[in-house]
Amino acid sequence: MSTPITVPDLRPTWDGVAFPGTELVDIATALRQVEKWIDAGHNDDGGWSGWPDRPDFDPIYGDVSLNTGSAGIAWYAAAAAHAARADGDDDAVRDNLARARRAAEHVSAHWRDDLAARVSLPIPNGGTAYYGGLAGLIAVASSLSTLAGTDVDLPLEAMIDELLALREAGKPWIGSGSLMGDGGILITLAAVAEHRRDPRLTEVIVELTDDILAQERPGIEGASSWPGAPGPFLGLPEGFEMEGFELGTVGIGFVFARVAQLTGEIRFVEAAARAAAHVSASSTVVGDAALLPRGSGFSFGYCTGSSGVARMFTAVHQATGDPQHLEWALKYGRGILRSGVPGRVTPGNQYVLHQCCGSAAVLETFIGLWLETRDQLWLDAARAQADDLLIRSVSDDLGRRWYSESHILPAGQLKAEIGHQVGASGIAFALLHLHQVNQAEATGQSRSLPRLPDDPYRTLS
């Protein structure tokens, strides 16, 4: 029998009152403080510096992108305004709408620029990609259109037309099926196609997903892998290959699942299941828990760790209806908890606090697994993980922020960036999700949880 999981209490008390020096602010207060830090990066030219402590700092995906730029800020701020309207907080609605519109104006002014030139990673045609390019801007523009009452607009149709025009007939945009490559573009177009009838989108989605499928590397017992992001994408040698949601078969399985849900094509359903079987076979399993090896250790984040794997298995479960895939997502969630998280930091997870590599991704995982199962364990874990994030933040007159490392950004210096994937906007977005859950639990009223194309979890109802 498995040992029961106990979620730690990170709020010590004495006689029902927080022990002196251990007080934590509520999430709504923390979000206002984070927004102050985001605003500290706003420049006179209408854009944002990636790191307010260092205005000359050049974020890895540039100052416009979903990952590190104004598109990610627009997305957080619009979602925060949407949530604040449900809270009846008119001041937060006003401030976040103004913030979202400033960020959207910066995107609108620069989306036709050479986005590839703003990306530090040597990704071929990287200006079209999800994380640092046009596909990410389309993802934000499409998701913004689903937030009722926010009135924050980006030129979605023109962006789609431009992306399609940038593809050479019969060829992929980037030449990698990973989410860092064409896979990220495909999940974006699939998300857009769910809301609008455009035969161009369905045609290119099916064509390029078939191209990725054709690169299959069959394994044993119904498992297959696919080539991930080439090493040179990360400045690494040719032939070097990493696994993970952003980089490898984990993310490609997610692509197959998403396209299968859109098209109903059985070949994509089956491919998603074979990718999931490969990841299962590659896992380190201990009792009721699983981990994905990464180098000499294990990471828990989105890009190469457990949180990304849980997203893939969740999407494959949704595409196939097979409960074993949801159970594997739960195994990966339990693997995080049984490693001592929240509270403990294991090798490979030090100083990584954001959506890409670290703690905010873990928070999203716990919330997502609660939404999938309504098992109280995951909501308790999410609340403790949010406390852990607040404990690890810095808050002063400049605002609340997190000095964080990353697996791919230049190492050796902790940075308090403000973007979505590696900064304060993304951490705030995860906290905002938990705030919405807490409010729904407290009031009994439905709250919406806005999602981007790489997020498979259920909405809150």
Side-chain angles (χ1 to χ4, degrees), residues 18 37 50 135 165 312 322 337 356 374 401:
W37 180 245
M312 183 275 290
D322 188 336
L337 289 174
C356 182
R374 297 305 170 111
R401 57 208 184 272

XYZ file of all heavy atoms in Angstrom, residues 18 37 50 135 165 312 322 337 356 374 401:
85
model
N -1.091 33.820 12.667
C 0.207 33.581 12.034
C 1.331 33.867 13.022
O 1.327 34.895 13.712
C 0.359 34.457 10.803
N 5.389 45.841 -10.180
C 6.695 45.483 -10.746
C 6.634 45.429 -12.275
O 7.549 45.893 -12.964
C 7.159 44.139 -10.189
C 8.488 43.685 -10.723
C 8.726 42.601 -11.499
C 9.763 44.304 -10.506
N 10.053 42.496 -11.791
C 10.726 43.532 -11.185
C 10.176 45.433 -9.800
C 12.083 43.859 -11.189
C 11.534 45.754 -9.804
C 12.460 44.972 -10.485
N 12.682 43.973 -20.272
C 12.427 42.638 -19.760
C 12.683 42.493 -18.282
O 12.102 41.628 -17.627
N 3.265 33.096 -34.135
C 2.251 32.165 -33.652
C 1.859 32.472 -32.212
O 0.679 32.369 -31.847
C 2.755 30.722 -33.762
N 1.202 33.358 -45.190
C 1.996 33.858 -46.319
C 3.483 33.596 -46.137
O 4.226 33.475 -47.121
C 1.747 35.356 -46.508
N 0.839 16.770 -21.364
C 0.731 15.855 -22.498
C -0.212 14.711 -22.191
O -1.132 14.410 -22.974
C 2.116 15.328 -22.873
C 2.128 14.413 -24.104
S 1.746 12.675 -23.752
C 3.219 12.188 -22.855
N -8.998 7.240 -22.962
C -8.421 6.129 -22.208
C -7.979 6.621 -20.835
O -7.075 7.468 -20.735
C -7.220 5.570 -22.977
C -6.672 4.279 -22.369
O -6.890 4.057 -21.164
O -6.012 3.516 -23.100
N 4.931 15.801 -5.728
C 4.619 15.858 -4.300
C 5.533 14.947 -3.485
O 6.013 15.335 -2.406
C 3.158 15.472 -4.071
C 2.100 16.480 -4.535
C 0.711 15.889 -4.373
C 2.218 17.780 -3.765
N 8.031 28.524 -17.173
C 8.739 27.631 -18.083
C 9.364 26.458 -17.341
O 9.078 25.301 -17.640
C 9.809 28.403 -18.855
S 10.713 27.387 -20.049
N -11.172 16.724 -9.299
C -11.803 17.292 -8.107
C -11.344 16.564 -6.835
O -12.070 16.562 -5.826
C -13.327 17.301 -8.224
C -13.822 18.190 -9.369
C -13.303 19.615 -9.265
N -13.552 20.404 -10.444
C -14.405 21.417 -10.507
N -15.108 21.742 -9.432
N -14.555 22.094 -11.611
N 8.240 40.498 -6.852
C 8.940 39.888 -7.975
C 9.695 38.646 -7.512
O 9.841 38.414 -6.313
C 9.906 40.890 -8.609
C 10.935 41.446 -7.633
C 11.367 42.845 -8.072
N 12.414 43.422 -7.242
C 12.173 44.137 -6.139
N 10.936 44.317 -5.701
N 13.176 44.675 -5.466
